[in-house]
Every structure is written in C-alpha cells, then in structure tokens.
Amino acid sequence: MSAALCLSLAAAAVPAAYAAPAQLFYSTSNTSIPPSQSFLLGGDQRRPLRVIGTNTGPVAVDVAAVTASGETLIARVAPGEGFNAVFPRETTARITNLSSDAVARVQVRFSADTSAVGMRYIGPGAGTAD
C-alpha cells in the first residue's frame, strides 16, 4: 500500500481519535471474511493498537472501532483502497464484509504480537452471535 494512499485516507476519512502515528509493526494477517461476517482484532490489549490495512478483495468493507459503549465507523474501504488507524486500549477493530454473497479479503499489519491480540469472526455462520 502506498504511503500517499494510506495518509490520504487517514486524513480524509478516519476520525481524529483514531488517527495513526508512526509505530513499529509486529504482525501481518491476510484475512478472508465470509459474506456478511466481521473479523474482530484486539479488544483486550493494554496499549493502543495501530492497524494498517488494504482491501485486497472484490467487495467493500467497513472498518469500525468497538468499545463497551458503542461502535464508531472509521472508514468504508473500497477494493484496492487502504486504511490506517489506531485503536485505543481495550478497543476492538471490526472489519465487516458488506457483501451478502462474496468473500472479502483484507491484508492487515498491526502493532502487537499475535499472542497478545485476540482474533475472531462474528456474524451468520461464524458460530458467534453478532
């Protein structure tokens, strides 16, 4: 993902509270999200979690921050576009496949060791209620 794309999307679409400063990355995930499901990343982390992602699939996805008090839409990401956000401690990054019949694909890099960051799917057929 180009820095210009990442920065332009971050400046144009990402709420200021989730804007991403420079930080090291430890993990990368190439994730397929089934139709109408969401991929959840983090939630129990004790430090902010920076996530840079690229929609590598054929359908749009929504990226949101989820806390105990609610959900904030970060960006709607079209195929080929990217996002760059920081999720505060104890906040979950939620990437939702907006299609009801096509698989979404997203590559994410994040600033935490995978052993310290939970990952799971929710939605129809995922075995977990939405």
Side-chain angles (χ1 to χ4, degrees):
M1 171 171 49
S2 75
L5 175 61
C6 184
L7 292 175
S8 66
L9 181 60
V14 176
Y18 301 99
Q23 195 168 350
L24 295 176
F25 289 93
Y26 300 104
S27 301
T28 299
S29 176
N30 290 300
T31 303
S32 295
I33 306 170
S36 302
Q37 289 189 17
S38 295
F39 175 68
L40 304 179
L41 179 62
D44 293 327
Q45 72 274 8
R46 298 292 176 219
R47 296 185 307 163
L49 174 67
R50 181 177 182 204
V51 181
I52 291 179
T54 302
N55 182 345
T56 59
V59 298
V61 297
D62 273 354
V63 179
V66 180
T67 65
S69 62
E71 184 171 317
T72 302
L73 180 65
I74 302 295
R76 178 154 289 165
V77 186
E81 291 184 345
F83 64 93
N84 183 349
V86 172
F87 298 85
R89 60 189 295 272
E90 299 179 0
T91 300
T92 302
R94 179 177 179 156
I95 304 171
T96 301
N97 181 350
L98 298 177
S99 173
S100 61
D101 59 359
V103 173
R105 290 182 186 78
V106 181
Q107 180 185 62
V108 293
R109 293 182 300 152
F110 49 97
S111 62
D113 182 354
T114 54
S115 66
V117 175
M119 294 179 232
R120 64 188 173 103
Y121 292 89
I122 62 170
T128 305
D130 190 7

